[in-house]
Each structure stands twice: as structure tokens, then as C-alpha cells.
Amino acid sequence: MGFTQSSRRGPSNEIFEQLPIIGISVGSKDPKAPVLGLFGGVHGLERIGAQVCIALLRSLSELMLWDSLLQEALKNIRIVAVPMINPLGMMHLRRSNPNGVDLMRNAPIEADGDVHRLLGGHRLSPRLPWYRGPIKEPPSLEPENQAVLEFCQKQFFSSPAVVTVDFHSGFGLQDQIWFPYAKSVKPFPHLAEMHALKNLFERTHPHHFYRIEPQAKNYTTNGDLWDYIYELYCQQNKGVYLPLAVEMGSWMWVRKNPLQIFSTLGPFNPVKPHRQKRILRRHTTLFDFLIRSMASPQFWSELSVEQKNKNQILAQELWYSV
Ligand SMILES: [Zn+2]
């Protein structure tokens, strides 16, 4: 679906590196089918995000061979994935892409208020983390993000019910599910539907371990790719789109094995093999729930006016009251 590329300049020659960005789509070809998307590997140091995506896709591919419930569901829904958005960053052990750009700060989106001077996304230098890239006129995305945007436009911009999950790690002591915005502490337009989906999840899996809240409760940023894709979707579709991020609580792994903080990958990934296995199976319940939610979208994406109002009020109280 696209390529990431970079050149390294030596004294006499240039070495070009290029790796494919792979997108996968299974299930219904109907543009109006509900769509579940899995994404990972935006940040090259957060290998576990790509690995979790691939583990879920591997189980899915086996289930597709024999599970008649899933086979039936896939006639009506589509599951899409880009498990490794930043393969060159991953190859070179860098958070950023080869241009030094943090792909999650690169979209043409400005935060509402003040953001942290570095973490919030800056244009000071590609040598510093969280670099947004240079200002371009007209605005353009880094090749990895452009490939993801085009994939999303093709796969779900005509669908009335979409959930995407982007897997990250490196922040916090608990697994969190974040929903928009990253750019603002204000509620996003599909807050009622987000609350309905959360309720459905909590009723179905009351012992789940995620903290579910708007990303902006943790920090706000400029240039969030999912804020941007969400806005573009809403400009041309009256449907419901919930772009979620799973932020895996990697500080738990560091707390149990403190020495790993001194390695490049240690702060972001489970290092011990038994812990890595545990993390690779940890999000199966969420994935299964989301597949079922796509097959029965009326319970979260087609709310009556009354249900919408009720969910809106509950969501405001839960997430936005001081
Ligand atoms: Zn990340």
C-alpha cells in the first residue's frame, strides 16, 4: 500500500533504503460495511504494538479457516490492518521515521491550547523527540502517514460504523484505551457513541482492566494523525467513527524488571519472554468484543435521540465534569 524510504549520504554514494508498508483487508467488500481497523508500529521503539497486532491477526487468520460464526460475520463486516506503520524506524531502533519525524505529531492539526513544549509536538529540530517535521505549504504528510491516510480513505471512509485501534506503549502503569481528542480537552462529536460502546464492553466484560478516557486527560498534542483522519472522515461521512488508541502500561513491566530501563527498547517493551507472551494474549478479549460490535453496530452506532442524549449526559459527567 506504500513505501517508507530514506537515504543515507556517504562521502561518495547514497544508500537508499526502502521498506513496504503492508495493509491487510478481509471480509465484506461493501463500502458501507462496518469496519474494524488495527494499527501498530507508529513509533519504532514500541515493537510490542506491532507484535500485538500481528498476534491478533494470526489468531484471526486461523479462526477464518474453521470458525463458522466468524465466517458468517465477515460476510457483513470488514477487518483491516496496518500492523507496522513505521518499519524503518523499527529497523533502526528509532521512535521517529527516518526523517526524524514523530508520525503521531506530523498531521496538519494544531492543539486548542498550550501543549508541553516538546512532548506536545515541536518544530525545533529532528534531533529532539516529538518533532513534527518542517512546515510545508500546502501541508503534506510524511510518506508513512500518507500511506495510512490513503488506506483509511479506501477502506472505511464510506462506512457508517468504524472503530480503529492503534497500539502504543511507553506511558503509565495501566493499560488505557484513549479516544479523541489529542488536540483538545473538549468532547469530540461521537462522545455519546463512545460511551455506548464503553458501556457495552463493561456489561459484557465487567472484569476488564482498561482505563477508558479521552487522551487529552493525559496530555494534549499537536499533529495527531488520528485526530486528522477523524476530521477528514467527519467532513464527508455522517456515520460514526471511533478512533481508539490502546496505550499499554509499560511502566508495569519496568517496575517488575527495573534494569531494562537502561536498554533502548526496555522502557517500551516487555523484555522477559514470559511477560511478552502474556502481553501478546492480553488484548484478545478486546479484539473479540470489537469484532462482535461490528457485527451488531446498532447497539453503539445507531442510537435513538433518547439514547444519544442519555449517553451524552453520562459521558459528560464521567469524563468532563471537574
Ligand atoms: Zn507510541
Side-chain angles (χ1 to χ4, degrees), residues 43 46 95 168-169 247:
H43 293 132
E46 300 167 20
R95 174 184 171 90
H168 289 257
S169 59
E247 185 66 50

Side-chain angles (χ1 to χ4, degrees), residues 6-26:
S6 70
S7 63
R8 291 164 155 192
R9 290 191 169 80
S12 56
N13 60 347
E14 282 187 329
I15 305 166
F16 284 95
E17 293 178 314
Q18 201 175 53
L19 285 174
I21 300 170
I22 296 167
I24 296 156
S25 175
V26 297

Side-chain angles (χ1 to χ4, degrees), residues 84 94 115-117 119 160 171 195 215 221 234 271 279 301:
M84 204 186 294
R94 299 179 64 168
V115 297
H116 184 281
R117 195 154 172 256
L119 176 102
F171 185 87
H195 188 267
Q215 170 169 349
T221 65
C234 291
V271 170
I279 303 309
S301 74

Side-chain angles (χ1 to χ4, degrees), residues 3 15 56 81 92 130 133 138 156 168 226 267 275 278 284 305 322:
F3 284 92
I15 305 166
L56 295 174
H92 291 300
W130 308 299
F156 64 73
H168 289 257
W226 297 111
R275 196 161 293 128
R278 201 179 296 151
T284 308
V305 174
V322 183

Side-chain angles (χ1 to χ4, degrees), residues 280-313:
L280 291 180
R281 63 176 181 260
R282 192 169 163 86
H283 304 284
T284 308
T285 305
L286 176 67
F287 186 43
D288 180 71
F289 166 79
L290 289 174
I291 293 173
R292 290 165 191 275
S293 307
M294 295 306 118
S296 303
Q298 65 274 25
F299 294 99
W300 59 276
S301 74
E302 297 163 20
L303 304 179
S304 66
V305 174
E306 190 191 343
Q307 288 169 326
K308 201 167 161 117
N309 289 341
K310 193 173 141 203
N311 275 287
Q312 186 77 22
I313 291 166

Side-chain angles (χ1 to χ4, degrees), residues 15-195:
I15 305 166
F16 284 95
E17 293 178 314
Q18 201 175 53
L19 285 174
I21 300 170
I22 296 167
I24 296 156
S25 175
V26 297
S28 169
K29 301 239 180 303
D30 181 352
K32 297 207 175 301
V35 176
L36 171 62
L38 295 184
F39 297 83
V42 170
H43 293 132
L45 292 174
E46 300 167 20
R47 294 188 164 193
I48 189 65
Q51 290 164 339
V52 165
C53 261
I54 291 164
L56 295 174
L57 291 171
R58 185 183 174 154
S59 297
L60 178 77
S61 67
E62 286 299 322
L63 288 169
M64 282 169 61
L65 297 176
W66 61 267
D67 178 4
S68 54
L69 276 175
L70 178 67
Q71 289 164 350
E72 205 50 42
L74 284 173
K75 288 178 185 167
N76 300 314
I77 71 168
R78 183 159 54 254
I79 300 175
V80 305
V82 183
M84 204 186 294
I85 293 174
N86 181 14
L88 278 176
M90 205 158 285
M91 191 166 89
H92 291 300
L93 297 180
R94 299 179 64 168
R95 174 184 171 90
S96 67
N97 79 349
N99 298 329
V101 176
D102 185 327
L103 296 173
M104 217 27 83
R105 305 288 186 277
N106 172 241
I109 290 274
E110 302 302 317
D112 279 354
D114 289 341
V115 297
H116 184 281
R117 195 154 172 256
L118 290 180
L119 176 102
H122 62 86
R123 299 197 194 273
L124 300 171
S125 162
R127 292 174 191 277
L128 295 170
W130 308 299
Y131 177 60
R132 301 184 64 185
I135 294 176
K136 291 182 187 162
E137 212 43 66
S140 65
L141 297 167
E142 289 293 301
E144 296 87 348
N145 280 349
Q146 185 62 33
V148 172
L149 171 62
E150 287 171 18
F151 179 80
C152 292
Q153 286 171 323
K154 186 169 169 210
Q155 294 295 336
F156 64 73
F157 268 39
S158 299
S159 167
V162 185
V163 174
T164 57
V165 186
D166 183 18
F167 286 89
H168 289 257
S169 59
F171 185 87
L173 280 163
Q174 183 186 359
D175 286 349
Q176 303 180 57
I177 296 177
W178 288 349
F179 58 85
Y181 287 114
K183 66 169 185 175
S184 173
V185 294
K186 291 183 194 140
F188 79 124
H190 292 124
L191 183 66
E193 288 82 0
M194 182 65 226
H195 188 267

Side-chain angles (χ1 to χ4, degrees), residues 237-301:
N237 194 323
K238 296 262 180 286
V240 175
Y241 173 27
L242 306 177
L244 311 181
V246 167
E247 185 66 50
M248 290 179 261
S250 52
W251 298 353
M252 285 186 290
W253 317 327
V254 174
R255 193 165 65 174
K256 287 177 182 163
N257 185 37
L259 286 178
Q260 74 181 59
I261 200 148
F262 298 110
S263 67
T264 309
L265 295 173
F268 305 96
N269 299 280
V271 170
K272 300 272 185 194
H274 71 276
R275 196 161 293 128
Q276 190 197 30
K277 273 183 95 168
R278 201 179 296 151
I279 303 309
L280 291 180
R281 63 176 181 260
R282 192 169 163 86
H283 304 284
T284 308
T285 305
L286 176 67
F287 186 43
D288 180 71
F289 166 79
L290 289 174
I291 293 173
R292 290 165 191 275
S293 307
M294 295 306 118
S296 303
Q298 65 274 25
F299 294 99
W300 59 276
S301 74

